[in-house]
Amino acid sequence: MRRRPRTTCAILAGVLLCSAFAARECTAAPTDDIIARGHALTIAGDCASCHTADPAKPFAGGKRIDTPFGAVFSPNLTPDRDTGIGGWSDDDFVRALRTGVSPDGKHYYPAFPYPSFTKLIRDDILAIRAYLATLAPVSNRAPPPRLRWPYCYRVLMRAWNALFFTPGIIQPDQSRTAEWNRGRYLVEALAHCGACHTPKNAFGADRRDQALGGSMVQGMFAPRLDGAERSGLKSWSAGDIAEYLQSGRNGHSHAGPLMSEVVVNSTSKMSDADVRAIAVYLKSLPAGASEPVVTPPSPAQMSNGERIYRGACVACHELDGSGAPRIYPPLPGNANLQSASPASTLRIILDGAQTVTTPRAPNAGSMPAYPKLTDQEVADVATYIRNAWGNAAPAVSADEVAKARTAK
């Protein structure tokens, strides 16, 4: 009989403890400010571009992402408990972004840029999760990867991570300004610019000694973002870089098909301060690997290229290549044209191009496709514009054009 009061007290104590934990959970619920910050971080990370296959179902995943090893499909980021991340804990989400491991222990492929996201601080990761939790849950299970043998075996990712993955957040450089450090954090971690702009080795890992030195992505060339003189950003000011990110164009260039998606979904929606920080950081980067020594193209190829240019291009780009900045991009000194790889130039000639429209640059522009030109004619005109008006870049061959046609 004497134990009953003790039992009652134990029950009361348990109730009080549970109430305290419940209250603690309530007070720990994300605030509106945290959710708003998570939304901004999600935009800066361009999550929508990869995780939205159907615009009517944002972040529901299922989008096909082609890699040199086959295709993968992005997972569902909505709070659906069965097919999304609604059943994940905070630690599950942090682990996925920091280490590339799912809650059930499966390793993600590095098409999911966890090698960049590992550098994010925990508070930012949880803010992103808080925003994603506010989305409408959508039931959508992504298809399984379609990778060639032996890449289809996820267990190989253990070896890949051991060789190429270095976990850990970015430590601020105390000798630099807060703006520079913010730009570095965005470029190297959240915005994962190196996923497209850093060359890859045979195993799909970044060549760290050539960071942001330009790379092939889905049949196009993501240009250098370092200070290379001809094909990098040496001739661009920080203001030029910021204008390009915010509007998709500037006095030097226009965003191509792949970068246009980044501009529309991400950089054009970022805060002025963050875009400026990215620009300041990129502008501080020295030139990395040396640009290729260019052997002047043959006079015959330049002459034939000029003939084609005069017949098809001068109406918009002018005889001297000056074009109409922010409408028709100028060609002299154009960094994209002078890239070591002509892939992007060939895709634009063969497929045409559409200028991206943004709130800061709502006027549209377009370039027609020229698929009826022969492989040699495309090679000649590409070589001409890559080497006229003081430009210098390797000559283009008809074989390269033929490969570009079949790679479409």
Side-chain angles (χ1 to χ4, degrees):
M1 297 294 295
R2 292 181 180 178
R3 290 187 178 182
R4 186 170 297 176
R6 293 182 182 177
T7 303
T8 303
C9 289
I11 293 172
L12 288 172
V15 170
L16 289 172
L17 284 171
C18 290
S19 299
F21 284 126
R24 183 178 178 181
E25 287 181 2
C26 289
T27 57
T31 64
D32 289 344
D33 286 345
I34 290 175
I35 292 170
R37 182 160 65 91
H39 186 200
L41 292 167
T42 302
I43 289 172
D46 196 22
C47 305
S49 287
C50 285
H51 291 273
T52 302
D54 180 354
K57 300 175 182 178
F59 297 97
K63 184 172 181 177
R64 181 186 175 111
I65 300 171
D66 290 307
T67 78
F69 312 100
V72 296
F73 297 84
S74 60
N76 185 346
L77 296 186
T78 73
D80 180 70
R81 295 191 66 85
D82 295 326
T83 65
I85 62 173
W88 292 24
S89 68
D90 285 351
D91 286 342
D92 288 337
F93 193 72
V94 172
R95 184 187 184 200
L97 267 68
R98 285 266 184 86
T99 68
V101 178
S102 69
D104 61 3
K106 291 181 180 178
H107 286 264
Y108 291 113
Y109 293 106
F112 170 55
Y114 66 89
S116 296
F117 291 161
T118 189
K119 301 173 184 179
L120 295 172
I121 62 173
R122 183 181 176 90
D123 284 353
D124 280 353
I125 294 175
L126 293 182
I128 292 170
R129 172 167 168 75
Y131 167 69
L132 293 175
T134 68
L135 301 174
V138 177
S139 179
N140 185 45
R141 194 177 301 279
R146 298 175 185 171
L147 298 171
R148 299 192 307 275
W149 187 90
Y151 309 111
C152 51
Y153 295 108
R154 287 184 186 269
V155 68
L156 294 178
M157 286 307 304
R158 293 180 181 273
W160 192 95
N161 286 333
L163 290 170
F164 306 118
F165 175 51
T166 304
I169 64 173
I170 288 181
Q171 298 297 330
D173 184 341
Q174 301 299 330
S175 69
R176 298 282 192 164
T177 65
E179 184 177 50
W180 185 93
N181 277 293
R182 176 64 175 173
R184 180 189 175 205
Y185 181 73
L186 291 167
V187 168
E188 294 188 10
L190 185 59
H192 56 282
C193 302
C196 287
H197 292 272
T198 294
K200 305 298 185 283
N201 64 22
F203 300 98
D206 286 352
R207 296 183 181 274
R208 297 175 185 174
D209 60 334
Q210 299 178 38
L212 304 178
S215 183
M216 289 296 299
V217 182
Q218 296 180 21
M220 301 195 75
F221 187 77
R224 298 178 68 154
L225 299 183
D226 62 10
E229 184 172 2
R230 297 197 312 270
S231 57
L233 297 178
K234 183 174 182 178
S235 63
W236 292 29
S237 68
D240 292 331
I241 298 171
E243 181 185 1
Y244 179 89
L245 294 174
Q246 290 176 318
S247 69
R249 66 189 84 169
N250 61 19
H252 299 275
S253 187
H254 288 201
L258 297 179
M259 188 62 194
S260 291
E261 186 175 51
V262 177
V263 171
V264 169
N265 292 330
S266 179
T267 57
S268 68
K269 298 178 180 179
M270 291 171 64
S271 69
D272 290 351
D274 275 354
V275 171
R276 174 69 187 179
I278 290 174
V280 167
Y281 175 69
L282 290 179
K283 189 58 186 172
S284 76
L285 298 179
S290 299
E291 295 179 296
V293 176
V294 176
T295 301
S298 70
Q301 188 172 26
M302 288 293 287
S303 176
N304 192 46
E306 182 179 11
R307 177 186 62 78
I308 297 167
Y309 178 85
R310 286 174 176 267
C313 310
V314 293
C316 296
H317 290 287
E318 304 293 343
L319 193 60
D320 61 359
S322 59
R326 298 175 182 82
I327 301 174
Y328 303 117
L331 305 181
N334 189 298
N336 286 335
L337 278 182
Q338 298 180 88
S339 294
S341 168
S344 294
T345 299
L346 298 182
R347 283 264 64 88
I348 291 172
I349 294 173
L350 293 171
D351 300 341
Q354 181 72 37
T355 299
V356 63
T357 58
T358 60
R360 294 173 186 260
N363 55 310
S366 62
M367 173 179 158
Y370 292 94
K372 294 184 179 181
L373 291 176
T374 68
D375 291 346
Q376 189 61 58
E377 287 173 333
V378 173
D380 291 348
V381 73
T383 297
Y384 174 73
I385 61 178
R386 280 161 57 86
N387 289 277
W389 317 296
N391 291 348
V396 182
S397 70
D399 287 344
E400 288 178 288
V401 180
K403 291 179 181 177
R405 286 190 199 270
T406 59
K408 182 178 176 182

